[in-house]
Amino acid sequence: MGLFTRDIHSMNDLFVHQLKDILYAERRIASTMPAMIDKASSMELKDCLRDHLEQTRTHIARLEQVFQMHGVALSTVKCPAIDGILDEADEISDEVDDKSVLDAAIASSAQAVEHYEITRYGTLIAWAKELGHPDCAALLHETLEEEKSADKKLSTISEERLTHMAA
Ligand SMILES: [Fe+2]
Ligand SMILES: [Fe+2]
């Protein structure tokens, strides 16, 4: 897709474009998470990120399945939004030396990623239903629930850290 071309003509084209975008995003998240896990200090945060890395690999597999079910060849388009979130996360974590502050930075970056995924999957599910693909919607919904639960776990970890610091 270029600046002077119009490649998206229908809701189906838009759906496929966003599928390619989220596949790019999930792959980039999966390749970035091991470094986040290494940098984290608290075991709770490390475990939460490790569990979600496993789930992220499943998200990629589910998306590959959705491409197949929708009859589209597997491919990606660059997602500048996730690149921006992950690049910023990397820059911030390089600036922090205190371990507890670094954990707070990592948890907040991870939540920004989850929120991006939640908004994308929410839209994809609505569009899959609109396009008459309840099977694709159901699969995408499984992923959405895991993104929401990862977000909740990260919130709990951050709240516990604050309570611990206040004590
Ligand atoms: Fe995901
Ligand atoms: Fe996620």
Side-chain angles (χ1 to χ4, degrees), residues 103-142:
D103 277 354
I106 292 168
S108 104
S109 300
Q111 274 192 290
V113 170
E114 294 322 309
H115 285 219
Y116 178 74
E117 292 182 294
I118 289 167
T119 184
R120 283 298 184 221
Y121 279 108
T123 301
L124 280 167
I125 291 164
W127 289 349
K129 285 179 188 164
E130 186 184 329
L131 291 164
H133 286 284
D135 48 351
C136 294
L139 214 48
L140 295 165
H141 191 261
E142 283 181 44

Side-chain angles (χ1 to χ4, degrees), residues 22 26 29 52 55-57 59-60 113-114 117 121 143 147:
I22 194 72
E26 290 281 19
I29 295 162
H52 198 56
Q55 288 180 328
T56 299
R57 291 181 179 132
H59 300 171
I60 293 169
V113 170
E114 294 322 309
E117 292 182 294
Y121 279 108
T143 296
E147 310 293 18

Side-chain angles (χ1 to χ4, degrees), residues 6 23 44 52 58 78 87 90 95 97 108 110 117 120 123:
R6 296 192 191 277
L23 179 61
E44 289 83 8
H52 198 56
T58 306
K78 202 167 155 45
D87 289 348
D90 204 37
E95 297 285 327
D97 48 13
S108 104
E117 292 182 294
R120 283 298 184 221
T123 301

Side-chain angles (χ1 to χ4, degrees), residues 38-49:
D38 280 349
K39 283 181 192 170
S41 302
S42 103
M43 280 321 288
E44 289 83 8
L45 182 57
K46 271 185 188 288
D47 286 346
C48 173
L49 294 173

